[in-house]
Amino acid sequence: MQNTVYIMGIFSRSALNKKPNDSTRLIITTFLGIVFGFLIGVSFPSLSVSKLNFASGLLPTIDLSYMGENKLGISTHSVSNSSSNSTTSSSAKLNDTSKIWIPSNPRGAERLPPGIIVAESDFNLRRLWGKPSEDLTNIPKYLVTFTVGYNQRHNIDACVKKFSANFTILLFHYDGRVSEWDQFEWSRQAIHVSARKQTKWWYAKRFLHPYIVASYDYIFIWDEDLGVEHFNAEEYIKLVKKHGLELSQPGLEPNKGLTWQMTKRRGDQEVHKTTTEKPGWCTDPHVPPCAAFVEIMAPVFSRDAWRCVWYMIQNDLVHGWGLDFAMRKCIEPAHEKIGVVDSQWIVHQRVPSLGNQVEQEHHFYYFISVSERCRKEWTMFQNRVASAENEYFKKLGTMRSNSTAH
Ligand SMILES: *[C@@H]1O[C@H](CO)[C@@H](O)[C@H](O)[C@H]1NC(C)=O
Ligand SMILES: *[C@@H]1O[C@H](CO)[C@@H](O)[C@H](O)[C@H]1NC(C)=O
Ligand SMILES: *[C@@H]1O[C@H](CO)[C@@H](O)[C@H](O)[C@H]1NC(C)=O
Ligand SMILES: *[C@@H]1O[C@H](CO)[C@@H](O)[C@H](O)[C@H]1NC(C)=O
Ligand SMILES: CC(=O)N[C@H]1CO[C@H](CO)[C@@H](O)[C@@H]1O
């Protein structure tokens, strides 16, 4: 009997492939439905006649689809099509217990039984043979991404060597040169994403969805021009865990003009979370630029922090200016869980590499207009945050007054 059904599955599929007209298909599927109903009758003679009659319309939809999906590979479509209008009406009368609708499932997946839903993923590479359960010999716990051009390959090679096998390496290529990286042994294990002339935050928004990176405890989203001579990623993670940092960065070696005191490396401690700035810059010692922020060149997010910050990244504001001052909204209390790791530190080499690489034709003009756009985006971002907050509190205000009126 199983053979028969399997052949039916193939037959109806190949019939569909040939695109017969509807009446032919209806005849075929109806015929097959009858044959199958007969076979079921033969195989379950103990079923009472009344039950069979009552369920005759239902059997094809319930039992067959169950067997089809689970054992026999028969297409559910051809089966439900074979059932006539009377079938649908009779199952409607039964209040559709055969259909699944679970509102607590992820949006859009309400029709699936919860047991089959896989909401999260990772970047682990799998092989194409063998047992799936034996695919992975090493499951990395952390993720590091670099946004790179080929010209910076030697620096990136040096960076990658500072990250152990506990890290998945993900490169975002903005210059379209991907296969050339295979000169490095590690490149073949790395994940490569290529899209021309985009910025770090553009890639992060599109390829680091919180559900996709859910298996990583920490996520490094780094620039390509960082000097890592005095940095070790495993040691860094240890310190981040020890001090409970949800958002962090390595201290910056104060060689050239640093923008902020907060991210400047201190020689005398492991980690710092607050700083003093120029007089008048910090009205509140717990908010930026005196605390609760790191810069956007080398941030390290905990899973939870990234889950929130991802939502804050705007699709059109690609330079990410202003993000560093706003990320504290994702972390509570921000001045305790955001910090700079001093004993594992980096040097910002300040190579405007995306500009160099990509727009040599009108470089000067390009550089000016990029800076201009950065500042403009900063303003836009601040305005959006402010107006979204205003809107929320305004709504909250009216709701409060309504409820007090009751
Ligand atoms: C099935 O129902 C639809 C609408 O309810 C109707 O248009 C169609 O003619 C019916 N088909 C049969 C075979 O009864
Ligand atoms: C049918 O479903 C509706 C809504 O899901 C429910 O309110 C109703 O009680 C159900 N009826 C029966 C007979 O189960
Ligand atoms: C990877 O992480 C585990 C657990 O934290 C640690 O024991 C191991 O030393 C790490 N591997 C490397 C290469 O550092
Ligand atoms: C509160 O009152 C305003 C104005 O009367 C009304 O538009 C709004 O829907 C009310 N909100 C709630 C939650 O009742
Ligand atoms: C011939 C026919 O009725 N085909 C239908 C089979 O069922 C699928 C999904 O329910 C429809 O999309 C087809 O039009």
Short mmCIF file of all heavy atoms in Angstrom, two decimals, residues 22 25 77 80-81, ligand 5:
data_model
loop_
_atom_site.label_atom_id
_atom_site.label_comp_id
_atom_site.label_asym_id
_atom_site.label_seq_id
_atom_site.Cartn_x
_atom_site.Cartn_y
_atom_site.Cartn_z
N ASP A 22 -7.31 22.12 -16.15
CA ASP A 22 -7.86 21.86 -14.81
C ASP A 22 -8.76 20.63 -14.77
O ASP A 22 -8.74 19.88 -13.81
CB ASP A 22 -8.64 23.07 -14.32
CG ASP A 22 -7.68 24.11 -13.76
OD1 ASP A 22 -6.47 23.83 -13.74
OD2 ASP A 22 -8.15 25.16 -13.35
N ARG A 25 -6.76 17.52 -14.49
CA ARG A 25 -6.19 17.39 -13.16
C ARG A 25 -7.26 16.97 -12.15
O ARG A 25 -7.05 16.12 -11.31
CB ARG A 25 -5.58 18.72 -12.74
CG ARG A 25 -4.50 18.53 -11.70
CD ARG A 25 -4.01 19.83 -11.18
NE ARG A 25 -3.47 20.69 -12.24
CZ ARG A 25 -3.19 21.97 -12.04
NH1 ARG A 25 -3.42 22.53 -10.88
NH2 ARG A 25 -2.70 22.70 -13.02
N HIS A 77 -1.13 19.27 -1.36
CA HIS A 77 -1.96 20.08 -2.25
C HIS A 77 -2.87 19.22 -3.11
O HIS A 77 -4.04 19.44 -3.18
CB HIS A 77 -1.07 20.92 -3.17
CG HIS A 77 -0.72 22.22 -2.51
ND1 HIS A 77 -0.13 23.24 -3.18
CD2 HIS A 77 -0.87 22.63 -1.24
CE1 HIS A 77 0.07 24.25 -2.35
NE2 HIS A 77 -0.37 23.89 -1.17
N SER A 80 -5.71 17.83 -0.95
CA SER A 80 -6.79 18.72 -0.55
C SER A 80 -7.57 19.18 -1.77
O SER A 80 -8.75 19.44 -1.70
CB SER A 80 -6.26 19.91 0.24
OG SER A 80 -5.26 20.56 -0.51
N ASN A 81 -6.90 19.25 -2.92
CA ASN A 81 -7.64 19.60 -4.12
C ASN A 81 -8.62 18.50 -4.49
O ASN A 81 -9.67 18.77 -5.04
CB ASN A 81 -6.67 19.81 -5.30
CG ASN A 81 -6.03 21.18 -5.24
OD1 ASN A 81 -6.23 21.91 -4.29
ND2 ASN A 81 -5.29 21.50 -6.28
C1 LIG B 5 -6.99 22.50 -9.52
C2 LIG B 5 -7.00 23.16 -8.20
O1 LIG B 5 -8.03 23.31 -7.55
N1 LIG B 5 -5.83 23.58 -7.76
C3 LIG B 5 -5.66 24.19 -6.48
C4 LIG B 5 -5.06 23.22 -5.48
O2 LIG B 5 -4.85 23.82 -4.24
C5 LIG B 5 -3.98 24.88 -4.28
C6 LIG B 5 -3.76 25.39 -2.85
O3 LIG B 5 -4.88 25.19 -2.06
C7 LIG B 5 -4.54 25.97 -5.20
O4 LIG B 5 -3.62 27.06 -5.27
C8 LIG B 5 -4.77 25.40 -6.55
O5 LIG B 5 -5.37 26.39 -7.38
#
